[in-house]
Amino acid sequence: QLQLVESGGGLVQAGGSLRLSCAASGRAFSFAGMGWFRQAPGKEREFVAGISMSAGTTQYADSVKGRFTISRDSAKNTVYLQMNSLKPEDTAVYYCAARYGSLSPSYYHDPNPYGYWGQGTQVTVSS
């Protein structure tokens, strides 16, 4: 029974930091890649960051480059999102996602290949 379990969301002031974690459990095979998406009220779901679980190749949305860092621990079946210099516009529900299929980093932003999703964790950044 494959599950993605997220943690680390919360309320933080602008300029602060949060670290999100997503642990995969109950899987028989290693994921090819994992990523983070977010959805703000009244807006479409958008890509935040993605990473390959083998080589560690990363991809980021332009809006978070230089502020967010995605990393993984393959041995622990875990992916992280370190969020620094948070802004009110980062406020959203953040979703962890995982996939078995490999693909070019140019397509990490596409949610369709991600077959497994976490429950979402709320991140609220106050001004």
Side-chain angles (χ1 to χ4, degrees), residues 58-105:
T58 60
Q59 191 74 264
Y60 297 92
D62 289 340
S63 59
V64 306
K65 286 181 179 177
R67 299 189 298 121
F68 291 9
T69 302
I70 188 170
S71 60
R72 93 297 191 197
D73 187 333
S74 298
K76 295 182 178 180
N77 301 319
T78 301
V79 67
Y80 307 95
L81 186 68
Q82 179 66 47
M83 304 185 294
N84 298 326
S85 302
L86 282 162
K87 305 174 181 179
E89 45 264 55
D90 295 317
T91 296
V93 177
Y94 284 69
Y95 297 93
C96 174
R99 55 180 169 82
Y100 284 121
S102 62
L103 72 165
S104 168

Short mmCIF file of all heavy atoms in Angstrom, two decimals, residues 58-105:
data_model
loop_
_atom_site.label_atom_id
_atom_site.label_comp_id
_atom_site.label_asym_id
_atom_site.label_seq_id
_atom_site.Cartn_x
_atom_site.Cartn_y
_atom_site.Cartn_z
N THR A 58 17.62 18.44 -10.78
CA THR A 58 16.55 19.29 -10.24
C THR A 58 16.00 20.25 -11.28
O THR A 58 16.67 20.59 -12.26
CB THR A 58 17.03 20.08 -9.02
OG1 THR A 58 18.13 20.92 -9.41
CG2 THR A 58 17.49 19.15 -7.90
N GLN A 59 14.79 20.70 -11.02
CA GLN A 59 14.13 21.70 -11.84
C GLN A 59 13.25 22.53 -10.92
O GLN A 59 12.60 22.00 -10.01
CB GLN A 59 13.30 21.04 -12.94
CG GLN A 59 12.78 22.00 -14.01
CD GLN A 59 13.87 22.46 -14.94
OE1 GLN A 59 14.45 23.53 -14.74
NE2 GLN A 59 14.17 21.66 -15.97
N TYR A 60 13.22 23.85 -11.17
CA TYR A 60 12.47 24.75 -10.32
C TYR A 60 11.60 25.68 -11.14
O TYR A 60 11.95 26.06 -12.27
CB TYR A 60 13.40 25.62 -9.46
CG TYR A 60 14.24 24.85 -8.48
CD1 TYR A 60 15.52 24.43 -8.81
CD2 TYR A 60 13.77 24.57 -7.20
CE1 TYR A 60 16.30 23.73 -7.91
CE2 TYR A 60 14.55 23.87 -6.29
CZ TYR A 60 15.81 23.46 -6.65
OH TYR A 60 16.59 22.77 -5.74
N ALA A 61 10.48 26.07 -10.56
CA ALA A 61 9.70 27.14 -11.14
C ALA A 61 10.47 28.45 -11.00
O ALA A 61 11.20 28.65 -10.02
CB ALA A 61 8.35 27.26 -10.44
N ASP A 62 10.33 29.33 -11.98
CA ASP A 62 11.05 30.60 -11.94
C ASP A 62 10.76 31.40 -10.67
O ASP A 62 11.64 32.09 -10.15
CB ASP A 62 10.70 31.45 -13.16
CG ASP A 62 11.28 30.89 -14.44
OD1 ASP A 62 12.25 30.10 -14.38
OD2 ASP A 62 10.78 31.25 -15.52
N SER A 63 9.56 31.28 -10.16
CA SER A 63 9.14 32.06 -9.01
C SER A 63 9.85 31.67 -7.71
O SER A 63 9.83 32.45 -6.75
CB SER A 63 7.63 31.95 -8.81
OG SER A 63 7.24 30.60 -8.61
N VAL A 64 10.47 30.49 -7.68
CA VAL A 64 11.12 30.03 -6.44
C VAL A 64 12.62 29.83 -6.58
O VAL A 64 13.29 29.51 -5.58
CB VAL A 64 10.47 28.74 -5.91
CG1 VAL A 64 8.97 28.91 -5.76
CG2 VAL A 64 10.79 27.56 -6.83
N LYS A 65 13.16 30.02 -7.76
CA LYS A 65 14.60 29.84 -7.97
C LYS A 65 15.40 30.76 -7.06
O LYS A 65 15.09 31.94 -6.93
CB LYS A 65 14.97 30.11 -9.43
CG LYS A 65 14.56 29.00 -10.38
CD LYS A 65 14.98 29.33 -11.81
CE LYS A 65 14.58 28.22 -12.77
NZ LYS A 65 14.93 28.55 -14.17
N GLY A 66 16.42 30.21 -6.43
CA GLY A 66 17.25 30.97 -5.52
C GLY A 66 16.74 31.04 -4.11
O GLY A 66 17.46 31.47 -3.21
N ARG A 67 15.49 30.62 -3.90
CA ARG A 67 14.89 30.65 -2.57
C ARG A 67 14.57 29.26 -2.04
O ARG A 67 14.71 29.00 -0.85
CB ARG A 67 13.62 31.49 -2.58
CG ARG A 67 13.83 32.94 -2.97
CD ARG A 67 12.57 33.77 -2.75
NE ARG A 67 11.45 33.30 -3.57
CZ ARG A 67 10.29 32.87 -3.08
NH1 ARG A 67 10.08 32.86 -1.76
NH2 ARG A 67 9.32 32.48 -3.90
N PHE A 68 14.13 28.37 -2.92
CA PHE A 68 13.74 27.02 -2.53
C PHE A 68 14.80 26.02 -3.01
O PHE A 68 15.41 26.20 -4.07
CB PHE A 68 12.40 26.62 -3.14
CG PHE A 68 11.21 27.36 -2.60
CD1 PHE A 68 11.35 28.45 -1.75
CD2 PHE A 68 9.93 26.95 -2.94
CE1 PHE A 68 10.25 29.13 -1.26
CE2 PHE A 68 8.81 27.61 -2.45
CZ PHE A 68 8.97 28.70 -1.62
N THR A 69 14.98 24.96 -2.24
CA THR A 69 15.89 23.89 -2.62
C THR A 69 15.21 22.54 -2.39
O THR A 69 14.76 22.25 -1.29
CB THR A 69 17.19 23.94 -1.82
OG1 THR A 69 17.84 25.20 -2.00
CG2 THR A 69 18.13 22.83 -2.27
N ILE A 70 15.15 21.74 -3.44
CA ILE A 70 14.61 20.39 -3.32
C ILE A 70 15.77 19.41 -3.19
O ILE A 70 16.80 19.56 -3.84
CB ILE A 70 13.71 20.03 -4.52
CG1 ILE A 70 13.00 18.69 -4.28
CG2 ILE A 70 14.49 20.01 -5.82
CD1 ILE A 70 11.92 18.37 -5.30
N SER A 71 15.61 18.42 -2.34
CA SER A 71 16.63 17.39 -2.16
C SER A 71 15.95 16.06 -1.86
O SER A 71 14.76 16.02 -1.57
CB SER A 71 17.60 17.77 -1.03
OG SER A 71 16.92 17.92 0.20
N ARG A 72 16.73 15.00 -1.95
CA ARG A 72 16.16 13.69 -1.69
C ARG A 72 17.13 12.81 -0.94
O ARG A 72 18.35 13.00 -0.99
CB ARG A 72 15.70 13.02 -3.00
CG ARG A 72 16.71 12.09 -3.71
CD ARG A 72 17.94 12.77 -4.18
NE ARG A 72 18.74 11.92 -5.06
CZ ARG A 72 20.01 12.12 -5.35
NH1 ARG A 72 20.65 13.17 -4.86
NH2 ARG A 72 20.65 11.29 -6.17
N ASP A 73 16.60 11.82 -0.24
CA ASP A 73 17.36 10.77 0.41
C ASP A 73 16.77 9.46 -0.07
O ASP A 73 15.76 9.00 0.48
CB ASP A 73 17.31 10.90 1.93
CG ASP A 73 18.24 9.94 2.63
OD1 ASP A 73 18.55 8.87 2.08
OD2 ASP A 73 18.67 10.25 3.76
N SER A 74 17.38 8.88 -1.08
CA SER A 74 16.85 7.67 -1.69
C SER A 74 16.77 6.51 -0.69
O SER A 74 15.82 5.72 -0.72
CB SER A 74 17.70 7.26 -2.89
OG SER A 74 17.68 8.25 -3.89
N ALA A 75 17.76 6.41 0.19
CA ALA A 75 17.78 5.33 1.18
C ALA A 75 16.60 5.42 2.13
O ALA A 75 16.13 4.40 2.64
CB ALA A 75 19.09 5.35 1.95
N LYS A 76 16.14 6.64 2.40
CA LYS A 76 15.02 6.85 3.31
C LYS A 76 13.70 7.05 2.57
O LYS A 76 12.67 7.29 3.22
CB LYS A 76 15.29 8.06 4.20
CG LYS A 76 16.46 7.88 5.15
CD LYS A 76 16.64 9.10 6.04
CE LYS A 76 17.78 8.91 7.01
NZ LYS A 76 17.98 10.10 7.89
N ASN A 77 13.73 6.98 1.24
CA ASN A 77 12.53 7.17 0.43
C ASN A 77 11.85 8.50 0.77
O ASN A 77 10.63 8.57 0.94
CB ASN A 77 11.55 6.02 0.64
CG ASN A 77 12.14 4.67 0.28
OD1 ASN A 77 12.85 4.53 -0.71
ND2 ASN A 77 11.84 3.66 1.09
N THR A 78 12.66 9.53 0.84
CA THR A 78 12.19 10.83 1.32
C THR A 78 12.66 11.95 0.41
O THR A 78 13.77 11.92 -0.11
CB THR A 78 12.69 11.09 2.75
OG1 THR A 78 12.23 10.04 3.62
CG2 THR A 78 12.19 12.42 3.28
N VAL A 79 11.79 12.94 0.23
CA VAL A 79 12.14 14.15 -0.50
C VAL A 79 11.83 15.35 0.39
O VAL A 79 10.90 15.32 1.21
CB VAL A 79 11.37 14.23 -1.84
CG1 VAL A 79 9.87 14.40 -1.61
CG2 VAL A 79 11.92 15.37 -2.70
N TYR A 80 12.64 16.41 0.25
CA TYR A 80 12.51 17.60 1.07
C TYR A 80 12.36 18.84 0.21
O TYR A 80 12.79 18.88 -0.94
CB TYR A 80 13.74 17.78 1.97
CG TYR A 80 14.09 16.57 2.79
CD1 TYR A 80 15.04 15.66 2.34
CD2 TYR A 80 13.49 16.34 4.02
CE1 TYR A 80 15.38 14.55 3.09
CE2 TYR A 80 13.82 15.22 4.78
CZ TYR A 80 14.77 14.33 4.31
OH TYR A 80 15.09 13.23 5.06
N LEU A 81 11.77 19.87 0.79
CA LEU A 81 11.72 21.17 0.16
C LEU A 81 12.09 22.21 1.20
O LEU A 81 11.30 22.50 2.10
CB LEU A 81 10.34 21.47 -0.43
CG LEU A 81 10.24 22.77 -1.23
CD1 LEU A 81 11.05 22.66 -2.52
CD2 LEU A 81 8.79 23.11 -1.54
N GLN A 82 13.30 22.75 1.09
CA GLN A 82 13.75 23.83 1.96
C GLN A 82 13.30 25.15 1.36
O GLN A 82 13.69 25.48 0.24
CB GLN A 82 15.26 23.80 2.12
CG GLN A 82 15.82 24.92 3.00
CD GLN A 82 15.38 24.80 4.44
OE1 GLN A 82 15.45 23.72 5.03
NE2 GLN A 82 14.93 25.90 5.02
N MET A 83 12.49 25.89 2.09
CA MET A 83 11.93 27.14 1.60
C MET A 83 12.47 28.29 2.43
O MET A 83 12.20 28.38 3.63
CB MET A 83 10.40 27.12 1.66
CG MET A 83 9.78 25.95 0.91
SD MET A 83 7.97 26.02 0.87
CE MET A 83 7.61 25.79 2.61
N ASN A 84 13.25 29.16 1.81
CA ASN A 84 13.83 30.32 2.46
C ASN A 84 13.26 31.60 1.85
O ASN A 84 12.69 31.58 0.76
CB ASN A 84 15.35 30.32 2.32
CG ASN A 84 16.02 29.14 2.96
OD1 ASN A 84 15.56 28.63 3.99
ND2 ASN A 84 17.12 28.68 2.38
N SER A 85 13.43 32.70 2.57
CA SER A 85 12.97 34.01 2.09
C SER A 85 11.52 33.96 1.62
O SER A 85 11.18 34.44 0.54
CB SER A 85 13.88 34.51 0.97
OG SER A 85 15.23 34.61 1.40
N LEU A 86 10.69 33.37 2.43
CA LEU A 86 9.29 33.17 2.05
C LEU A 86 8.55 34.49 1.89
O LEU A 86 8.80 35.45 2.62
CB LEU A 86 8.59 32.30 3.09
CG LEU A 86 8.91 30.81 2.97
CD1 LEU A 86 8.54 30.08 4.26
CD2 LEU A 86 8.17 30.20 1.79
N LYS A 87 7.65 34.51 0.92
CA LYS A 87 6.84 35.67 0.60
C LYS A 87 5.36 35.33 0.79
O LYS A 87 4.98 34.17 0.70
CB LYS A 87 7.08 36.10 -0.85
CG LYS A 87 8.53 36.37 -1.21
CD LYS A 87 8.67 36.66 -2.70
CE LYS A 87 10.11 36.91 -3.08
NZ LYS A 87 10.26 37.17 -4.54
N PRO A 88 4.52 36.33 1.02
CA PRO A 88 3.08 36.06 1.14
C PRO A 88 2.52 35.32 -0.07
O PRO A 88 1.60 34.51 0.08
CB PRO A 88 2.47 37.46 1.28
CG PRO A 88 3.54 38.26 1.94
CD PRO A 88 4.83 37.74 1.34
N GLU A 89 3.05 35.58 -1.25
CA GLU A 89 2.57 34.91 -2.45
C GLU A 89 2.94 33.43 -2.52
O GLU A 89 2.48 32.71 -3.41
CB GLU A 89 3.06 35.62 -3.73
CG GLU A 89 4.52 36.01 -3.69
CD GLU A 89 4.74 37.46 -3.25
OE1 GLU A 89 4.25 37.83 -2.17
OE2 GLU A 89 5.40 38.21 -3.99
N ASP A 90 3.76 32.96 -1.57
CA ASP A 90 4.05 31.54 -1.47
C ASP A 90 2.96 30.78 -0.72
O ASP A 90 3.00 29.55 -0.65
CB ASP A 90 5.39 31.31 -0.76
CG ASP A 90 6.58 31.83 -1.55
OD1 ASP A 90 6.61 31.62 -2.78
OD2 ASP A 90 7.48 32.44 -0.94
N THR A 91 2.02 31.51 -0.14
CA THR A 91 0.94 30.89 0.60
C THR A 91 0.12 29.97 -0.30
O THR A 91 -0.38 30.39 -1.34
CB THR A 91 0.03 31.95 1.22
OG1 THR A 91 0.76 32.71 2.19
CG2 THR A 91 -1.18 31.32 1.90
N ALA A 92 0.00 28.71 0.09
CA ALA A 92 -0.70 27.72 -0.71
C ALA A 92 -0.72 26.40 0.03
O ALA A 92 -0.05 26.22 1.05
CB ALA A 92 -0.02 27.55 -2.07
N VAL A 93 -1.50 25.47 -0.51
CA VAL A 93 -1.40 24.08 -0.09
C VAL A 93 -0.33 23.42 -0.95
O VAL A 93 -0.39 23.48 -2.18
CB VAL A 93 -2.73 23.33 -0.23
CG1 VAL A 93 -2.57 21.86 0.14
CG2 VAL A 93 -3.80 23.98 0.64
N TYR A 94 0.65 22.83 -0.31
CA TYR A 94 1.76 22.19 -1.01
C TYR A 94 1.55 20.68 -1.06
O TYR A 94 1.29 20.05 -0.03
CB TYR A 94 3.08 22.52 -0.33
CG TYR A 94 3.56 23.92 -0.62
CD1 TYR A 94 2.90 25.02 -0.10
CD2 TYR A 94 4.67 24.15 -1.43
CE1 TYR A 94 3.32 26.32 -0.38
CE2 TYR A 94 5.10 25.43 -1.71
CZ TYR A 94 4.43 26.51 -1.19
OH TYR A 94 4.86 27.78 -1.47
N TYR A 95 1.69 20.13 -2.27
CA TYR A 95 1.47 18.71 -2.49
C TYR A 95 2.76 18.02 -2.93
O TYR A 95 3.45 18.50 -3.83
CB TYR A 95 0.41 18.48 -3.57
CG TYR A 95 -0.96 19.00 -3.22
CD1 TYR A 95 -1.36 20.28 -3.60
CD2 TYR A 95 -1.86 18.22 -2.51
CE1 TYR A 95 -2.61 20.76 -3.28
CE2 TYR A 95 -3.12 18.69 -2.19
CZ TYR A 95 -3.49 19.97 -2.58
OH TYR A 95 -4.74 20.44 -2.27
N CYS A 96 3.05 16.91 -2.32
CA CYS A 96 4.14 16.05 -2.74
C CYS A 96 3.63 15.08 -3.79
O CYS A 96 2.49 14.60 -3.72
CB CYS A 96 4.70 15.29 -1.53
SG CYS A 96 5.95 14.06 -1.91
N ALA A 97 4.46 14.78 -4.79
CA ALA A 97 4.08 13.86 -5.85
C ALA A 97 5.24 12.95 -6.22
O ALA A 97 6.41 13.33 -6.05
CB ALA A 97 3.61 14.63 -7.09
N ALA A 98 4.93 11.77 -6.72
CA ALA A 98 5.95 10.80 -7.11
C ALA A 98 5.55 10.07 -8.37
O ALA A 98 4.36 9.91 -8.66
CB ALA A 98 6.20 9.81 -5.97
N ARG A 99 6.54 9.60 -9.11
CA ARG A 99 6.31 8.88 -10.35
C ARG A 99 7.33 7.77 -10.51
O ARG A 99 8.45 7.86 -10.01
CB ARG A 99 6.38 9.84 -11.55
CG ARG A 99 7.68 10.64 -11.60
CD ARG A 99 7.72 11.58 -12.80
NE ARG A 99 8.85 12.51 -12.68
CZ ARG A 99 10.10 12.22 -13.02
NH1 ARG A 99 10.41 11.01 -13.50
NH2 ARG A 99 11.07 13.11 -12.88
N TYR A 100 6.94 6.74 -11.25
CA TYR A 100 7.85 5.66 -11.60
C TYR A 100 8.52 5.90 -12.95
O TYR A 100 9.62 5.41 -13.19
CB TYR A 100 7.12 4.33 -11.64
CG TYR A 100 6.82 3.75 -10.27
CD1 TYR A 100 5.50 3.49 -9.88
CD2 TYR A 100 7.84 3.46 -9.38
CE1 TYR A 100 5.22 2.97 -8.64
CE2 TYR A 100 7.57 2.92 -8.14
CZ TYR A 100 6.26 2.68 -7.77
OH TYR A 100 5.98 2.15 -6.54
N GLY A 101 7.86 6.62 -13.82
CA GLY A 101 8.38 6.86 -15.15
C GLY A 101 9.47 7.91 -15.17
O GLY A 101 9.42 8.90 -14.43
N SER A 102 10.47 7.69 -16.03
CA SER A 102 11.53 8.67 -16.21
C SER A 102 11.15 9.64 -17.32
O SER A 102 10.40 9.29 -18.23
CB SER A 102 12.85 7.97 -16.54
OG SER A 102 12.74 7.24 -17.75
N LEU A 103 11.66 10.85 -17.23
CA LEU A 103 11.40 11.85 -18.25
C LEU A 103 12.43 12.96 -18.17
O LEU A 103 13.15 13.09 -17.18
CB LEU A 103 9.98 12.41 -18.14
CG LEU A 103 9.63 13.34 -16.98
CD1 LEU A 103 8.32 14.05 -17.28
CD2 LEU A 103 9.53 12.59 -15.67
N SER A 104 12.47 13.75 -19.21
CA SER A 104 13.40 14.87 -19.27
C SER A 104 13.06 15.90 -18.21
O SER A 104 11.89 16.13 -17.91
CB SER A 104 13.35 15.51 -20.65
OG SER A 104 14.02 16.75 -20.67
N PRO A 105 14.08 16.55 -17.61
CA PRO A 105 13.82 17.63 -16.66
C PRO A 105 12.93 18.73 -17.22
O PRO A 105 12.25 19.41 -16.46
CB PRO A 105 15.23 18.16 -16.34
CG PRO A 105 16.12 16.99 -16.56
CD PRO A 105 15.52 16.25 -17.72
#
